[in-house]
Amino acid sequence: MKLLQWTYCSDYKLHPNPGSMHHCFWKYVTAIISLFLLSCFFHKKIQNVEYKLLLKEKEDIAWQTVQEQISSESKNHLQTFKEMQRDSPLFQRASYQFLAGAPPREKRLLTLGIASMQHPRGNYLLDTLQSVFQASSESELEYIVVLVHLSGPDPEWLGKTVANISGLFTSQIGAGKLLVIHGGSPLPGDLSDVNHSSPCEALYSRQKVDHALLMNFASNLSDYFLLLEDHIYCTPKFVAAISLALSAWKELPWVILEFAHLSISGKVFHTSDLSRLTPFFLLFQKDTPTHLLLSEFRLLLAQNVPIHFSPSVFHHTADYSVFGDICFPVEKDRVFGEPDNPAATVLTDMVSILAVMPQYAYTLNEEGYYTLDPLKGNYLTVILDRPQRVTRIAVLTGSDKEGRYQLQQGQVELGYDPQEDPKGCTRYALLGPLVGGNLDQIVFSEKESVEELSCIRLLVLASQESWLLIRQIKIWTEPEEEEK
C-alpha cells in the first residue's frame, strides 16, 4: 500500500500524516473507479461498433445467400422455363376489369406499366401520374400509353382511387393515353397462398403477382414495356431519352435497358419477352424478392452485364416511406462527382485538322478534337497509362444541341489486355452505341470480379460527309481506397 500511496498521491509524500493518508486513499479509489468506468465505456463502444459491423456483414451474407439461391434455382428451373415460354397457358384464365379508359386502338411504342396497391402509410400514385404527364410533351405522349394495375381486396379504396384518377386525368383517359385496370387470376403454386410466414414474404408474393398480371395485360399494347413503381417522379423529356436509346439499340441484342438507379423502376423490356417473364415470376419461392428475379431473368437470356444509362431519368419521391427499409433495400441515386480522366495516350486514324491533336478530346476543357469526313472503321482510342477500374464513361460529340458536327453512327468499346505493338488492346467488348451523338453509361461489374480497363475506343460505324467534333471523353474511376 505504501508503494501505491507514494506513487499516486503527492499529498501523502509531502505530508505523511493520517489525514493526508485518508485523503490520498480516496483519491486513489476515485482514480481506480474512473479508470474502470472509462474502460467500460470504451468496451461498450467497441462492442457497438463490432455489433454494427457484424449486423452489416450478416445482411450482406443474407442477400448474397438469396442471390446464390436464385441462381441455383434458375439452373434447376431452366428446362421448365424453356417449356413454359414455348406455350404458357398460365395467364389465359386471367380476368381483367376496366376501371378507367380503354386499350388504345393502335399499337404504341412504349407502355408505362405501374402496379399499385393500398399502402398503410399512404399512396403516391397520383403524384407519380402527374409527374409522368407533366414531364412529357404532347408529341411524346403520342408514343406512349400509361397502364395502371390496381390491386387490393378493399372495394372502397379501389373506388376512391379510380374516382381520383378519373377526376385529375380526364383528358388523358379520353385520349387513350391512360388505362386503369384491376386483374385477377387463379395462380398456381405458392404465390396464390395467402398464408405467409412474414410481412416481407407477403409483400414479395403480392408484388410478383401484381407485376405478372400487369405485364400479361401489356404484352400486346406496344413494342416496348417500361416498368415503374407507384412512388416515382420523372425528369423532363424522359420519353425522348428512352426513344432515342431504343432506336440506337434496335439492331443490337439486349434484354433489359435500365434508365434509373432503382431496383425495379426504370427498366425497359421488349413486350415479346413479357410472356416469358410472367411465368418466370412463379418458378421461385414466396420469399424471393422481385428485383433479384429481374436480374436473373436478364442473365438467363444471355445478357451478362447490365446496360445502365446515366444520368437517371426516374427517382423515388423525396418523402417515400411506404415500405421502409425492412423488406426492400435502400435505394439512393449513385453520386459520381466530377470525372477524373486518369493519365492516358489518345490515338486515332482520322485526319487531324491543322494543329488540333486527338489528345484534346480527352482533356477536361472546352477544346475538343475536329476532323473532316470520318470514314466507316475510323477510330479514336484512349489508352490508359495503367489499367483502371472504370465506373462510368461519357463520350460527347457535336457542337450544340442542334446536333451539328456530331457522329451520326458510332459505338464505344471497352478494351482489355494492353499491347505495345501496335499500341492498344488485344480485345474489345461493346459498351454501347451513341445515342443522339452521345454516350453516357455506367460500366457494370461485380466488385469481386471487376476487370480493369486499359482502352476506351470510339468506333465510326458509317461514313459521313461532314465535320466531326469529338467534344469530350469523360471517365470516372473507383477511388484508390475502394480498390484496396
Side-chain angles (χ1 to χ4, degrees):
M1 186 68 185
K2 272 187 178 181
L3 177 61
L4 291 173
Q5 289 166 348
W6 279 98
T7 305
Y8 291 99
C9 189
S10 60
D11 289 343
Y12 178 67
K13 183 177 180 181
L14 296 173
H15 308 284
N17 57 65
S20 61
M21 187 174 179
H22 178 74
H23 174 71
C24 183
F25 173 76
W26 283 110
K27 287 187 72 175
Y28 174 72
V29 171
T30 302
I32 293 297
I33 293 173
S34 299
L35 288 171
F36 175 74
L37 292 175
L38 191 62
S39 173
C40 291
F41 171 76
F42 280 114
H43 181 68
K44 186 174 182 181
K45 291 285 286 183
I46 292 170
Q47 280 186 321
N48 287 337
V49 172
E50 290 178 344
Y51 173 75
K52 288 179 180 179
L53 291 173
L54 183 61
L55 186 61
K56 180 67 170 60
E57 184 179 348
K58 285 183 176 180
E59 289 177 354
D60 292 342
I61 292 173
W63 277 105
Q64 185 178 355
T65 302
V66 171
Q67 288 179 305
E68 290 175 353
Q69 177 186 357
I70 292 174
S71 181
S72 175
E73 290 186 16
S74 290
K75 294 175 182 177
N76 294 335
H77 290 312
L78 182 58
Q79 185 57 39
T80 306
F81 172 65
K82 289 180 178 178
E83 293 173 0
M84 293 175 77
Q85 72 180 25
R86 280 199 301 266
D87 183 24
S88 174
L90 191 59
F91 289 93
Q92 290 181 1
R93 290 183 294 167
S95 59
Y96 294 92
Q97 179 185 0
F98 292 89
L99 302 179
R105 296 179 181 179
E106 297 181 355
K107 205 171 187 180
R108 303 287 173 86
L109 173 71
L110 182 67
T111 297
L112 279 65
I114 303 172
S116 184
M117 67 177 75
Q118 186 175 9
H119 301 304
R121 302 184 189 179
N123 195 289
Y124 298 84
L125 175 61
L126 296 178
D127 295 332
T128 299
L129 292 175
Q130 281 186 327
S131 179
V132 167
F133 291 116
Q134 288 175 358
S136 309
S137 65
E138 286 299 320
S139 59
E140 288 174 325
L141 291 175
E142 295 299 320
Y143 295 95
I144 70 171
V145 57
V146 181
L147 174 65
V148 178
H149 173 235
L150 296 179
S151 68
D154 185 354
E156 182 179 350
W157 174 79
L158 283 173
K160 183 179 179 181
T161 303
V162 174
N164 289 334
I165 293 174
S166 300
L168 287 172
F169 305 102
T170 304
S171 60
Q172 289 87 349
I173 292 173
K177 298 182 175 73
L178 175 60
L179 173 61
V180 184
I181 61 172
H182 176 66
S185 174
L187 300 173
D190 291 335
L191 289 183
S192 61
D193 185 4
V194 295
N195 298 315
H196 301 283
S197 60
S198 70
C200 291
E201 185 179 284
L203 276 175
Y204 295 151
S205 179
R206 183 71 258 166
Q207 190 182 58
K208 282 183 281 192
V209 170
D210 291 346
H211 283 118
L213 289 168
L214 171 73
M215 293 176 176
N216 179 64
F217 187 91
S219 58
N220 294 315
L221 297 181
S222 59
D223 296 321
Y224 302 98
F225 176 84
L226 166 65
L227 183 59
L228 293 177
E229 294 165 285
D230 60 358
H231 45 269
I232 294 297
Y233 73 89
C234 316
T235 60
K237 299 183 179 180
F238 75 92
V239 175
I242 294 175
S243 177
L244 279 173
L246 289 173
S247 178
W249 281 85
K250 189 173 183 179
E251 303 301 326
L252 296 170
W254 59 271
V255 179
I256 302 176
L257 300 181
E258 302 183 30
F259 293 86
H261 297 286
L262 304 173
S263 59
I264 291 179
S265 292
K267 290 179 168 54
V268 173
F269 307 80
H270 297 90
T271 51
S272 57
D273 282 338
L274 297 184
S275 60
R276 305 175 178 182
L277 183 55
T278 49
F280 183 72
F281 282 142
L282 309 186
L283 290 176
F284 296 87
Q285 298 179 1
K286 292 178 289 186
D287 59 353
T288 307
T290 307
H291 68 279
L292 294 182
L293 291 182
L294 294 177
S295 298
E296 197 63 31
F297 180 75
R298 166 180 58 77
L299 293 171
L300 200 58
L301 294 187
Q303 182 189 320
N304 296 322
V305 179
I307 302 168
H308 196 137
F309 300 95
S310 185
S312 296
V313 295
F314 303 106
H315 309 271
H316 277 322
T317 52
D319 56 347
Y320 168 67
S321 59
V322 174
F323 297 116
D325 304 334
I326 301 173
C327 303
F328 298 93
V330 177
E331 296 181 327
K332 294 182 179 179
D333 284 341
R334 187 171 176 180
V335 178
F336 286 92
E338 295 297 319
D340 52 359
N341 283 28
T345 302
V346 182
L347 300 179
T348 185
D349 63 349
M350 301 184 210
V351 179
S352 299
I353 305 298
L354 300 177
V356 178
M357 296 183 294
Q359 195 77 26
Y360 290 173
Y362 188 66
T363 305
L364 294 173
N365 55 28
E366 300 298 323
E367 290 182 309
Y369 172 71
Y370 280 94
T371 184
L372 183 62
D373 298 341
L375 302 175
K376 180 180 179 180
N378 280 161
Y379 65 85
L380 183 140
T381 304
V382 175
I383 305 169
L384 303 175
D385 285 3
R386 65 181 182 87
Q388 299 279 346
R389 297 191 178 207
V390 176
T391 58
R392 176 182 170 188
I393 295 175
V395 176
L396 310 177
T397 74
S399 60
D400 50 31
K401 293 182 179 179
E402 282 69 35
R404 290 183 296 180
Y405 314 134
Q406 72 180 20
L407 183 56
Q408 296 165 7
Q409 295 186 51
Q411 67 185 32
V412 177
E413 301 171 338
L414 308 179
Y416 306 91
D417 301 335
Q419 63 180 17
E420 288 299 323
D421 190 19
K423 195 169 180 63
C425 287
T426 58
R427 59 187 178 93
Y428 289 88
L430 175 68
L431 176 62
L434 298 188
V435 178
N438 300 317
L439 175 141
D440 192 342
Q441 282 184 222
I442 295 173
V443 182
F444 260 102
S445 291
E446 295 296 330
K447 282 189 176 181
E448 294 78 9
S449 60
V450 67
E451 191 171 4
E452 295 181 333
L453 293 182
S454 294
C455 302
I456 294 95
R457 181 167 70 182
L458 173 62
L459 184 66
V460 178
L461 297 181
S463 302
Q464 62 185 61
E465 296 181 359
S466 66
W467 287 81
L468 166 63
L469 168 61
I470 303 175
R471 191 166 76 249
Q472 203 165 69
I473 297 174
K474 302 178 182 179
I475 296 177
W476 289 258
T477 61
E478 283 189 358
E480 291 293 334
E481 59 267 22
E482 292 185 15
E483 294 182 19
K484 294 179 182 179

